[in-house]
Amino acid sequence: MVAFLRRSLLRPLLAIGLCLCLGLSGCSQAPGGLSGNYVDDTVSVAQTLLTTIALPQDDPARQEAEVQARQLINGYTALYRPRQDIHGLASFTTMQTAVNALAAHYAGYANRPLPDPLRSRLEKELKKAEATAVRGA
């Protein structure tokens, strides 16, 4: 009787444990190809966005770059906005301001070029966020 119970309970428990391990390990990765390291991710996202907004309007790679930028913005925001330990950092606030402005432009004016005043502001904010993240603020 004990051997039967052991065999009949052991297999389902092992299967459930394996499913949980595989499922939870899939959840632990950072979204959008981000590393999970705030400084590295902030520098990487800032550089990618600076490259994207510098592309000329008639560049054939622009549309794909903007799609990837939107995905990167969503992944970065999803990963770092809920983290309370990052909310107080100046680099996070500056980065969120830039990311929100760019996302709003992509959402509302996707077919229009980035206005020069917005481009200039984004370049300043992204560079500032990158520098302050590296500095540790």
Side-chain angles (χ1 to χ4, degrees):
M1 178 79 172
V2 173
F4 172 74
L5 284 176
R6 190 177 301 168
R7 254 185 278 140
S8 66
L9 290 177
L10 187 60
R11 284 185 181 161
L13 287 176
L14 232 96
I16 291 171
L18 182 61
C19 287
L20 284 173
C21 287
L22 291 174
L24 292 176
S25 67
C27 295
S28 67
Q29 295 179 1
L34 299 171
S35 68
N37 179 313
Y38 172 72
V39 173
D40 294 342
D41 288 343
T42 300
V43 170
S44 172
V45 170
Q47 287 297 318
T48 302
L49 295 179
L50 284 167
T51 303
T52 301
I53 65 175
L55 289 173
Q57 186 65 25
D58 58 351
D59 191 322
R62 183 178 182 85
Q63 189 172 12
E64 179 60 30
E66 286 180 359
V67 168
Q68 290 178 351
R70 289 175 104 177
Q71 291 173 346
L72 193 59
I73 288 169
N74 290 339
Y76 181 85
T77 303
L79 183 62
Y80 292 112
R81 186 174 283 168
R83 292 189 42 189
Q84 295 299 319
D85 58 326
I86 293 177
H87 270 270
L89 298 176
S91 59
F92 179 76
T93 305
T94 305
M95 189 69 169
Q96 280 300 114
T97 302
V99 162
N100 287 341
L102 187 57
H105 175 78
Y106 286 157
Y109 307 102
N111 296 330
R112 294 186 183 176
L114 206 59
D116 288 334
L118 179 58
R119 180 187 321 273
S120 173
R121 185 182 120 206
L122 288 172
E123 287 171 352
K124 286 182 205 171
E125 289 176 349
L126 290 169
K127 288 175 184 175
K128 181 179 177 182
E130 184 180 355
T132 53
V134 169
R135 197 175 67 228

